[in-house]
Amino acid sequence: MDIGLMMDSDYHEGQTQQEAFDQALALADLAETLGFDGLWLAERHFSAPGGVALIASVGSSPLLLATAIAARTSRIRLGTAVLLLPLGHPVRLAEEVATLDHLSRGRLDLGIGRSSFPRAYEGYNVPYEESRARFREYLDVMRLAWTQPRFSYTGTFYTCRDLEVIPKPFQHPYPPLHQAAATRDTFASIGTMGLSLLVALIGTPLSELTAVIAEYQAAWRVAGHPGQGEVRLRLPVYVAETLQAAQADPYPSVMPYYERLRQGYLRSAQGFDSAERTARAAQLASLTYEEVMQERVVFGTPRLVVRRLHALQQSLGLSGIIIEPNAGGAIPAELVARSMDLFAREVAPSLRE
């Protein structure tokens, strides 16, 4: 099983922005040293400490950050989780992705999505209700730019005439594409398009994953794609020597995070009259830490974490996992490093057997 590490590029109160970047680069170095297969970078906008963002972050330009990491690493793959396609221009992004793919010697995985929350769209003055249609056109244009010597395109949002985009990607025909799903109807559409699936436990508890992944795989087969697709699960993982520490250490970070998530769902539901977001907010309103431990995270001793991750791999047919080492962003750095070391030494080898 492929094992990745999620990097949100956390930015904490009392920390300078330069210190936040230094911390992110140090985490990338540690991920390479510990033998993680991939490092997945989030895209965050307008996420200052103390604001309304779920996680304060300096990760507004993941491709630039990935380029810096590519220059200081040699083995680890670099992924985006995820690039918010509708916020930019597809030709420009196609050029930047292809450039990074060359600079990393083909170590790039491209995770793409729309985001469940409209805040970034408001900041870029892009109507969130157009995000789904813009996403489809955007992806069409990028694929043409990567695969055609010259191309033209006429859509509702993007128009290109007789363009020859250079460079083409290092990987053929382009870096592996992984699309994130956060709402139920997205799972089937990703399967129809034949893209790998990225799913997180942000809004979807473990008990609901089997059904929505089955919808993805069914749509994959109906569309005539070979196999059943690839599924990578992003989930918070924390490892400690004792069960008591594994449960107690993340608590002050995790529970405020789910309250911020609840508020985010409420704000977006009010703006878009979304029954699904309203239901998610209601779920989170009464969420207990015991339910978090059962349904939304994997915290425990190395032996317990191995057992739970093996069970998830078998029940969900996972191709990989992307662990979030600091759920909520407020676990002290030294504890995060200790958890990552325990995971690399005592959990990861068992998952790769």
Side-chain angles (χ1 to χ4, degrees), residues 2 37 40 63 77-83 85 97-98 100-102 104-113 139 142-143 146 169-180 190 193-198 216 220 230 232 319 322:
D2 185 88
D37 298 310
W40 296 78
L63 290 183
R77 291 190 65 83
L78 305 171
T80 56
V82 293
L83 290 182
L85 294 193
V97 166
L100 175 54
D101 200 34
H102 277 276
S104 66
R105 294 293 191 271
R107 287 188 282 144
L108 181 61
D109 283 284
L110 203 64
I112 54 179
L139 185 55
M142 287 204 303
R143 283 171 154 166
W146 289 329
F170 184 92
Q171 299 175 86
H172 184 77
Y174 39 75
L177 294 176
H178 312 261
Q179 186 179 343
I190 295 173
M193 289 190 292
L195 302 182
S196 296
L197 174 66
L198 290 176
Y216 161 76
W220 177 283
E230 289 192 1
R232 280 175 173 75
S319 304
I322 303 171

Side-chain angles (χ1 to χ4, degrees), residues 217-269:
Q217 293 171 336
W220 177 283
R221 290 190 296 270
V222 168
H225 304 299
Q228 60 178 7
E230 289 192 1
V231 179
R232 280 175 173 75
L233 175 63
R234 171 183 166 184
L235 75 169
V237 174
Y238 186 81
V239 190
E241 289 87 351
T242 68
L243 183 58
Q244 180 181 5
Q247 295 176 343
D249 291 348
Y251 178 85
S253 179
V254 167
M255 294 310 289
Y257 168 77
Y258 282 107
E259 174 56 23
R260 295 195 300 272
L261 180 61
R262 184 186 72 83
Q263 294 173 4
Y265 278 128
L266 281 177
R267 284 192 298 271
S268 59

Side-chain angles (χ1 to χ4, degrees), residues 158-210:
Y158 308 104
T159 298
C160 311
R161 293 186 177 88
D162 194 30
L163 294 183
E164 181 179 6
V165 173
I166 298 294
K168 302 301 185 190
F170 184 92
Q171 299 175 86
H172 184 77
Y174 39 75
L177 294 176
H178 312 261
Q179 186 179 343
T183 55
R184 194 174 188 103
D185 59 336
T186 307
F187 286 85
S189 68
I190 295 173
T192 299
M193 289 190 292
L195 302 182
S196 296
L197 174 66
L198 290 176
V199 58
L201 295 182
I202 296 174
T204 309
L206 284 171
S207 58
E208 297 180 17
L209 282 183
T210 301

Side-chain angles (χ1 to χ4, degrees), residues 21 38 77 87 89 98 115 118-119 140 164 230 298 301 334 349:
F21 279 113
R77 291 190 65 83
L87 299 186
H89 194 282
S115 177
R119 178 170 172 76
D140 288 342
E164 181 179 6
E230 289 192 1
V298 175
T301 61
E334 63 274 14

Side-chain angles (χ1 to χ4, degrees), residues 242-303:
T242 68
L243 183 58
Q244 180 181 5
Q247 295 176 343
D249 291 348
Y251 178 85
S253 179
V254 167
M255 294 310 289
Y257 168 77
Y258 282 107
E259 174 56 23
R260 295 195 300 272
L261 180 61
R262 184 186 72 83
Q263 294 173 4
Y265 278 128
L266 281 177
R267 284 192 298 271
S268 59
Q270 291 165 359
F272 294 95
D273 192 26
S274 169
E276 184 169 356
R277 289 182 172 90
T278 301
R280 294 296 187 202
Q283 269 186 334
L284 295 173
S286 60
L287 189 68
T288 66
Y289 193 51
E290 289 73 20
E291 291 170 329
V292 168
M293 295 288 294
Q294 292 174 356
E295 286 283 340
R296 299 176 185 270
V297 302
V298 175
F299 296 164
T301 61
R303 180 176 297 179

Side-chain angles (χ1 to χ4, degrees), residues 132-152:
R132 194 179 299 273
R134 283 180 177 270
F135 179 91
R136 294 192 188 101
E137 284 194 17
Y138 203 113
L139 185 55
D140 288 342
V141 172
M142 287 204 303
R143 283 171 154 166
L144 289 170
W146 289 329
T147 60
Q148 301 302 309
R150 304 187 76 87
F151 78 98
S152 296

Side-chain angles (χ1 to χ4, degrees), residues 333-353:
E334 63 274 14
L335 295 182
V336 173
R338 185 187 307 165
S339 170
M340 287 175 56
D341 181 67
L342 273 173
F343 183 93
R345 288 189 293 105
E346 301 188 30
V347 177
S350 297
L351 299 179
R352 294 190 173 108
E353 289 177 354

Side-chain angles (χ1 to χ4, degrees), residues 5-12 15-28 39-45 47-49 55-66 69 79 81 234 325-326 329:
L5 182 74
M6 188 68 208
M7 188 166 77
D8 285 295
S9 303
D10 298 335
Y11 175 29
H12 301 291
Q15 187 182 42
T16 69
Q17 292 173 16
Q18 183 60 62
E19 288 170 340
F21 279 113
D22 290 343
Q23 183 175 308
L25 294 173
L27 182 64
L39 183 68
W40 296 78
L41 284 67
E43 179 176 344
R44 307 281 186 199
H45 295 283
S47 52
I55 296 177
S57 170
V58 292
S60 59
S61 299
L63 290 183
L64 283 177
L65 187 53
I69 294 170
R234 171 183 166 184
N326 192 352

